[in-house]
Amino acid sequence: MIQTGFDLTRLNTLRLSARAEAFATFDTVSGLVNLLEAAQLRGWPVRVLGGGSNVLLAGDIAGLVVQSAMQSVQLLEQTEAFSRVAVDAGLNWHDWVCRSIAYGHGLENLALIPGTVGAAPVQNIGAYGAEVADVLEAVEGVQISTRQCRTLSAADCALAYRDSVFRHELAGDFIITRVLFRLPRAFAPDLSYGPLAQLREITPKALIEAVCQIRRSKLPDPQQIPNAGSFFKNPVVHAEQAATLQQRWPSLPCYTQADGQVKLAAGWLIEQAGWKGRWLGHARMHDQQALVLTTDGKARFADVERLRDAVIAAVQEQFAVLLEPEPQCF
Ligand code: FAD
Ligand code: NAP
């Protein structure tokens, strides 16, 4: 059923207030195609929303917003080495991570990331040294412009650091309906990332619990404090620029990438620029993790924009590094 004038305030974790001209959920792929046809007849643009934990609502949305209500998990194939599992886009990501260990491994470090399975490939979600690209085999979905069902291989998805084809060539034109995972059955956890390094002889379930505990101790719960997670990507700069910066600021955290470029910790840059825990209007950079922009629940998009621009300008002025926001305007 299509609802008009639909309030999206509760459907985005920054709690920005906005209405969609029309809103509908779908529980089959053919139901989705019917919605796309109905939207075309009315001249409505179509957008897809998951859990709203990585979007910026800049105002009311013209057209139709759709959301997957499909939540099944299907084992496609199991060998001694791996399981291939197809998971519907509408399933909560953390619920899938908890269920995944019955099939195989590789998702434990990605526990408690908010949102849905369908959004995970969009920015190739990552945490604690793991990313969805490590175990993604393919993505199924419907292209909005053609209303054709398509399967994209991992290579087609062009997954990169917090990036994919869904943020470029297919931005706004592809609705993911199912994600196919290839999970190794052997548990070989990556515990190299700082806070996980002290864990020993851990079970998959205990690793999930440890990740949840670390995250809860540091990151604001969007149910209590509205936020969209990391508000900026960690900037990746040339090795020479990183060396120059590190000479001046020896404690600057730098992580050399496979291609020789260097990833800088954006949270550190923001803290040094004086924005950790500081309010501007109704928005504030979090006092425990300066990379997370939070609001008091009364913020409008203009408050978020003002703080975003102030932080970008301060970091640019002090370090000559340009921060790029992670959540995209919806
Ligand atoms: P939404 O916010 O609803 O949508 C995000 C984008 O994906 C939009 O452009 C939307 O149109 C598109 N999209 C959504 N569903 C689909 C679909 N089915 N098909 C095609 N496009 C779709 N991210 C990380 O990478 N690592 C983290 O550790 C992490 N931690 C976070 C912690 C907190 C407290 C919060 C609030 C956010 C965090 N995030 C993190 C960001 C966010 O959780 C992820 O980006 C997540 O994948 C967004 O899922 P969603 O369903 O909420 O997507
Ligand atoms: P953290 O441990 O305080 O580390 C700060 C930054 O340094 C991280 O962003 C991380 O980059 C980088 N880093 C730390 N150790 C690293 C290592 N061994 N190798 C490479 N890079 C390293 O980070 P945090 O804020 O508590 O977050 C923990 C994890 O959850 C991080 O992976 C982070 O990306 C993820 N997270 C993401 C979001 C989001 O919205 N995108 C929100 C919350 C948490 P990376 O970010 O590249 O890992």
Side-chain angles (χ1 to χ4, degrees):
M1 189 187 61
I2 297 179
Q3 301 178 68
T4 52
F6 189 88
D7 186 4
L8 296 174
T9 314
R10 306 298 308 169
L11 294 190
N12 74 101
T13 61
L14 272 169
R15 299 282 176 264
L16 296 176
S17 100
R19 280 182 182 279
E21 185 176 0
F23 178 86
T25 59
F26 57 90
D27 48 23
T28 59
V29 174
S30 59
L32 170 60
V33 173
N34 290 341
L35 285 172
L36 297 182
E37 279 164 3
Q40 207 210 11
L41 283 175
R42 293 170 168 93
W44 283 337
V46 177
R47 289 182 178 81
V48 57
L49 187 67
S53 64
N54 209 29
V55 287
L56 278 178
L57 297 186
D60 289 347
I61 309 291
L64 175 67
V65 174
V66 297
Q67 192 181 46
S68 173
M70 298 170 70
Q71 303 198 342
S72 75
V73 173
Q74 187 189 1
L75 177 63
L76 302 177
E77 183 189 358
Q78 195 160 49
T79 69
E80 254 179 54
F82 61 84
S83 299
R84 294 176 59 240
V85 192
V87 186
D88 281 341
L91 187 63
N92 174 272
W93 174 260
H94 178 68
D95 290 350
W96 161 232
V97 171
C98 293
R99 289 170 67 176
S100 71
I101 59 178
Y103 301 95
H105 303 286
L107 295 178
E108 294 86 353
N109 291 18
L110 304 181
L112 214 64
I113 296 180
T116 54
V117 168
V122 174
Q123 71 153 3
N124 181 22
I125 56 170
Y128 305 103
E131 55 183 18
V132 81
D134 302 338
V135 289
L136 184 141
E137 180 177 297
V139 154
E140 293 175 358
V142 180
Q143 190 151 358
I144 297 174
S145 52
T146 61
R147 299 197 293 278
Q148 295 294 312
C149 293
R150 287 181 64 186
T151 299
L152 305 181
S153 68
D156 294 334
C157 294
L159 302 168
Y161 180 63
R162 306 296 186 269
D163 207 6
S164 74
V165 72
F166 308 108
R167 294 183 74 145
H168 298 281
E169 289 91 321
L170 288 178
D173 193 26
F174 198 83
I175 298 175
I176 296 168
T177 53
R178 219 159 71 131
V179 181
L180 275 52
F181 296 89
R182 185 187 173 98
L183 303 177
R185 296 189 66 197
F187 180 50
D190 178 357
L191 304 177
S192 59
Y193 192 102
L196 301 183
Q198 74 264 24
L199 304 173
R200 297 270 176 278
E201 309 252 329
I202 193 153
T203 63
K205 190 160 178 265
L207 177 53
I208 289 175
E209 277 160 15
V211 169
C212 290
Q213 207 177 1
I214 296 166
R215 291 182 70 100
R216 286 197 186 103
S217 71
K218 191 160 176 187
L219 296 163
D221 175 355
Q223 297 299 333
Q224 318 282 331
I225 302 176
N227 77 86
S230 303
F231 198 80
F232 299 99
K233 294 184 186 182
N234 287 319
V236 178
V237 301
H238 287 300
E240 305 85 70
Q241 187 182 359
T244 310
L245 287 167
Q246 220 172 16
Q247 221 167 17
R248 175 127 187 241
W249 289 280
S251 57
L252 168 66
C254 290
Y255 302 96
T256 303
Q257 308 295 284
D259 62 3
Q261 300 215 94
V262 177
K263 183 181 76 182
L264 310 176
W268 187 93
L269 299 173
I270 295 167
E271 181 174 355
Q272 296 301 309
W275 279 97
K276 188 175 186 178
R278 191 165 149 199
W279 287 96
L280 186 61
H282 294 285
R284 176 199 201 201
M285 300 315 290
H286 191 52
D287 58 358
Q288 297 208 49
Q289 172 45 292
L291 192 48
V292 178
L293 185 152
T294 66
T295 78
D296 61 3
K298 297 186 202 103
R300 293 167 171 275
F301 179 64
D303 292 290
V304 173
E305 257 185 326
R306 224 153 46 99
L307 180 52
R308 174 197 67 194
D309 294 347
V311 169
I312 290 175
V315 169
Q316 173 82 45
E317 191 183 323
Q318 189 164 340
F319 300 101
V321 171
L322 183 64
L323 291 182
E324 186 192 337
E326 186 182 283
Q328 295 192 319
C329 279
F330 189 64

